Amino acid sequence: MTVLAELKNLTKRFGERTVLNDVTLQIQEGEILGLLGPNGSGKTTLLKVLAFLLMPDAGEITFRGETVTEKNSERMRLESTMVFQKTMLFNTSVYNSVAYGLRIRKMHKNKIDEEVSKALRLAKLEGFEKRQAKKLSGGEQQRVALARALVLKTKLLLLDEPTANLDPKNASIIEEVIANVNRELKTTIVMATHNMFQAKNLPHRIALMEDGRISEVGTSTEIFGRLSKTLASFAAVENTFAGTARISEDGS
């Protein structure tokens, strides 16, 4: 497969704290890559680097074969978009919220109407155009944020815990939307999650993260089949009790 983006020996610090530590990773065009790890493992920071919102302190990023620098990062941002865990919406209609990015890009109104309609269909929000975005449920708001990203048709879509704090029904809809977008539009998706079931079923590959490092990369079958010490600790499947089993007088 074609490599869309590549991180080589990437390090990112905030003050004295190293958040990403010597990260090397390839993202293949057309795949869904899951970043699996506990809170604080560096998943969100890695997404922001891939969105070209943060530049590394050391290491190299290449995107579509071009090295990303301070000089070209603004242009590169047009090819990548990120949906944050905390949904941020404008105090306006769903249509205006989704159309905002296209208006900034000075697209013709007829084309904006067409693209917004497509994005809302993909996000299962047909008929929501005139509704106030901030008055929707949490799951619906997350789908508006997703549609706002989809309408830009970037090469890379980055999702930070896209189903966090959502009820099972809305989480299932979001997961279906992600799968459909990848299948229909061939969009490359990198999503951060600490949901074990989601990581097993949705991504094509998983990068297992711990303390700012990537410890393993592979398919879900490979990652969960090996059940490394890192995954076992994170998944809480380690034996946390020690002792001796004996049969009591009543046979229990």
Side-chain angles (χ1 to χ4, degrees):
M1 294 182 72
T2 303
V3 175
L4 179 68
E6 185 170 10
L7 312 177
K8 296 178 182 177
N9 307 114
L10 196 116
T11 296
K12 181 63 184 175
R13 301 181 188 89
F14 294 113
E16 295 183 357
R17 181 171 170 240
T18 301
V19 182
L20 296 176
N21 192 349
D22 196 32
V23 170
T24 294
L25 179 67
Q26 286 188 343
I27 297 152
Q28 299 167 357
E29 193 166 353
E31 76 169 335
I32 301 177
L33 175 69
L35 303 178
L36 177 63
N39 291 332
S41 59
K43 302 187 302 295
T44 300
T45 301
L46 185 53
L47 289 179
K48 288 179 178 178
V49 168
L50 287 168
F52 315 119
L53 299 173
L54 292 176
M55 293 299 294
D57 297 306
E60 182 182 74
I61 318 169
T62 57
F63 186 76
R64 303 182 77 187
E66 184 178 354
T67 300
V68 181
T69 66
E70 292 280 4
K71 290 183 178 180
N72 66 13
S73 61
E74 187 172 342
R75 171 168 56 85
M76 293 294 194
R77 285 185 204 124
L78 296 175
E79 299 291 345
S80 178
T81 189
M82 181 171 173
V83 179
F84 292 86
Q85 180 179 345
K86 184 175 176 59
T87 307
M88 301 291 288
L89 295 176
F90 301 116
N91 189 23
T92 184
S93 68
V94 169
Y95 175 91
N96 287 334
S97 294
V98 176
Y100 178 77
L102 299 182
R103 286 173 174 159
I104 292 293
R105 297 185 183 197
K106 302 187 185 302
M107 185 177 285
H108 191 276
K109 186 180 184 307
N110 289 344
K111 185 64 175 175
I112 291 177
D113 290 345
E114 180 184 337
E115 295 301 329
V116 169
S117 179
K118 288 179 183 177
L120 291 177
R121 177 186 62 80
L122 279 169
K124 300 185 182 296
L125 289 169
E126 300 99 323
F128 279 64
E129 289 86 348
K130 294 181 180 180
R131 295 177 64 175
Q132 288 296 303
K134 285 194 170 185
K135 292 184 178 180
L136 301 177
S137 70
E140 290 166 345
Q141 286 189 25
Q142 184 71 341
R143 280 149 57 198
V144 171
L146 189 53
R148 186 173 60 191
L150 295 177
V151 80
L152 299 175
K153 294 185 176 179
T154 56
K155 296 289 183 184
L156 183 59
L157 175 62
L158 307 163
L159 307 173
D160 189 13
E161 304 281 1
T163 60
N165 305 317
L166 297 185
D167 61 83
K169 180 182 177 181
N170 273 299
S172 178
I173 292 172
I174 293 284
E175 290 173 357
E176 185 181 348
V177 169
I178 293 168
N180 288 343
V181 167
N182 175 254
R183 183 174 57 252
E184 292 182 25
L185 303 182
K186 311 301 180 188
T187 303
T188 305
I189 299 171
V190 180
M191 56 179 289
T193 184
H194 58 249
N195 183 317
M196 304 295 289
F197 298 105
Q198 190 175 81
K200 265 189 172 184
N201 298 318
L202 195 54
H204 300 118
R205 291 192 305 145
I206 296 169
L208 190 60
M209 295 192 69
E210 183 182 30
D211 297 328
R213 293 180 177 272
I214 292 179
S215 58
E216 294 181 73
V217 180
T219 65
S220 60
T221 302
E222 292 168 343
I223 295 295
F224 287 96
R226 286 194 291 265
L227 198 62
S228 65
K229 185 177 180 180
T230 299
L231 181 61
S233 175
F234 167 52
V237 295
E238 289 182 308
N239 180 15
T240 56
F241 299 95
T244 302
R246 63 179 177 82
I247 300 175
S248 65
E249 291 182 0
D250 64 3
S252 60

